[in-house]
Amino acid sequence: MTANAIIRPIVSKLYCSASQVVLTVRRRPHVVNGGGFVVTDCSQKIIFRVDDCGTLGTKGELILRDGEGEPVLLIRRKEGMFQALGINRQWKGYMVDYEGPEKLVFILKEPHSYLAKNNSIRVNVGSKRFNMKKDWDFEVRGSFPDKACAIIDSAGNTVAQVGVRKETQLMMVSKDLYQVVVQQGFDQAFVFGVIAVLDNIYEESSHY
């Protein structure tokens, strides 16, 4: 870790690297297992896996697992009449051992489709507010469907960048294979928890 690097654990410092990390995401087919995606490093080692439980399990529920298959985050979309009438639907990510206020990791506000172009996707992080002057901690800027977006903190720093892999830039871009660059010291589990929600939002909207 460099002298100026700051460790910013949100899920756990176990998921914070001493240097910038480039990871590859490969989506799984949206079949009976619910789809989701696998995250690998440059040596093809599995770092994370996301299971989408919507096909045969609970709709609006995702599980982020580590490389050993152990659950890290349980992510649920908040349903109900209030959410249906509101401008934003909410996704909440919890530590998997206990679902309660003290274990809430993040809240992501999903704009309705007809307002999506005019509303940023913003994320609040439990009680670990990084910038008390703003009512959000992180913002997704750019186009996730085009795999050209970034997760920015409330101070304007880019903490993770989603983009097309260099070897595929001259070929047809596939939404099923892309890379994510996570800056040093930042929590990779949080980043892929947010990406899991983005993947579900945009994949779900393209099914029909």
Side-chain angles (χ1 to χ4, degrees):
M1 185 75 67
T2 63
N4 296 325
I6 299 175
I7 299 177
R8 297 177 66 179
I10 295 176
V11 177
S12 170
K13 63 182 180 181
L14 294 175
Y15 305 114
C16 300
S17 175
S19 59
Q20 177 181 278
V21 176
V22 180
L23 300 170
T24 297
V25 178
R26 185 184 299 273
R27 296 197 80 259
R28 298 200 300 260
H30 195 87
V31 290
V32 293
N33 64 1
F37 59 78
V38 174
V39 181
T40 56
D41 63 13
C42 59
S43 64
Q44 302 302 310
K45 178 184 177 181
I46 295 177
I47 306 300
F48 296 108
R49 179 173 99 227
V50 170
D51 294 330
D52 182 341
C53 306
T55 301
L56 292 180
T58 304
K59 184 177 178 62
E61 183 172 292
L62 311 169
I63 299 175
L64 175 73
R65 302 180 186 274
D66 64 17
E68 303 299 321
E70 294 298 319
V72 177
L73 290 174
L74 171 63
I75 306 168
R76 287 176 172 165
R77 184 172 63 197
K78 188 174 181 181
E79 303 288 357
M81 182 176 297
F82 177 80
Q83 291 297 314
L85 295 176
I87 295 177
N88 300 98
R89 291 190 296 181
Q90 291 186 356
W91 289 79
K92 293 187 176 183
Y94 300 92
M95 298 294 286
V96 297
D97 56 343
Y98 176 77
E99 185 179 329
E102 67 272 27
K103 292 296 183 178
L104 176 66
V105 177
F106 69 85
I107 301 173
L108 182 148
K109 296 180 179 179
E110 171 192 347
H112 281 305
S113 59
Y114 63 88
L115 291 175
K117 293 182 179 180
N118 301 316
N119 286 269
S120 299
I121 293 179
R122 290 176 173 173
V123 185
N124 288 333
V125 178
S127 60
K128 301 178 182 179
R129 181 62 57 81
F130 294 112
N131 187 340
M132 297 303 296
K133 295 181 179 180
K134 293 187 177 181
D135 61 358
W136 54 273
D137 297 308
F138 297 93
E139 183 176 58
V140 180
R141 297 180 185 173
S143 173
F144 181 78
D146 295 330
K147 302 303 177 284
C149 68
I151 299 176
I152 311 293
D153 69 14
S154 57
N157 302 306
T158 298
V159 299
Q161 185 84 36
V162 177
V164 179
R165 296 190 345 155
K166 292 181 179 180
E167 61 267 34
T168 63
Q169 286 181 349
L170 299 179
M171 299 183 293
M172 182 179 297
V173 176
S174 171
K175 66 178 180 179
D176 294 332
L177 184 65
Y178 56 95
Q179 71 177 21
V180 178
V181 180
V182 183
Q183 297 305 314
Q184 65 175 10
F186 199 74
D187 197 314
Q188 298 165 36
F190 167 75
V191 167
F192 285 99
V194 171
I195 289 176
V197 177
L198 297 176
D199 181 83
N200 186 276
I201 291 172
Y202 291 106
E203 177 66 13
E204 183 178 87
S205 67
S206 67
H207 281 334
Y208 303 102

